[in-house]
Structures are given as structure tokens and as C-alpha cells.
Amino acid sequence: LGDVYKRQADNDTKALIHRRVLELQQKKKLTNYRLYTDLKLNPGNVNAWLKHNDSSKMSLDCARQIYKYAKSYPSVR
């Protein structure tokens, strides 16, 4: 049963990160292409997660990695 709760908590966390990443992408003009290219991630999985919020395609570690990158990405001048 603990497994079910952990998965739900992970999905909640991914949903939160998803919202933040979308905000950062808009603010900083950061494309999905730039994210998956620079981080060497699977384009299909990144797009499924960011465009369709399909968290089954995204590990929590990967989501955190994307968020960290988006946060440190330089703002548009």
C-alpha cells in the first residue's frame, strides 16, 4: 500500500514541477527542444510530459533535472 502512496506523492510533485517548468519556459523563452537537447533526454518523453502532462513518461529525478536547468537558464535580454 505504501507504494501506491509513494507513486501518488511522486505524481503530485511532478505536477507541481510541471507547472513551474512551464512558467519558467514562458518567462525565459525556453523551448522543449532546448531542454531535451541540452539535457540529452528523450524528446518524446519530454514533449509528452510538458505538452500533455503525461507524468507516466517522466521520472521524478528527470523532472527535477529539467526544473533545475530551467531555473538556471539565462533570462531573455
Side-chain angles (χ1 to χ4, degrees):
L1 196 65
D3 213 36
V4 174
Y5 289 123
K6 181 174 171 6
R7 197 169 27 253
Q8 186 54 56
D10 284 358
N11 284 339
D12 290 350
T13 307
K14 279 188 269 188
L16 192 69
I17 294 172
H18 178 263
R19 269 201 309 278
R20 292 273 194 286
V21 168
L22 292 183
E23 286 166 15
L24 287 166
Q25 278 187 292
Q26 230 176 355
K27 200 170 79 181
K28 299 181 174 195
K29 306 274 185 273
L30 174 59
T31 62
N32 290 3
Y33 175 82
R34 179 62 37 228
L35 280 171
Y36 59 68
T37 306
D38 287 359
L39 294 172
K40 295 175 176 55
L41 299 171
N42 178 311
N45 292 350
V46 173
N47 283 325
W49 184 55
L50 290 173
K51 289 181 180 170
H52 311 294
N53 202 1
D54 180 356
S55 61
S56 72
K57 299 269 192 278
M58 187 57 55
S59 72
L60 190 51
D61 282 346
C62 215
R64 286 191 175 119
Q65 188 185 359
I66 289 172
Y67 174 66
K68 222 160 94 177
Y69 179 83
K71 230 173 83 160
S72 67
Y73 194 78
S75 292
V76 182
R77 300 273 168 256

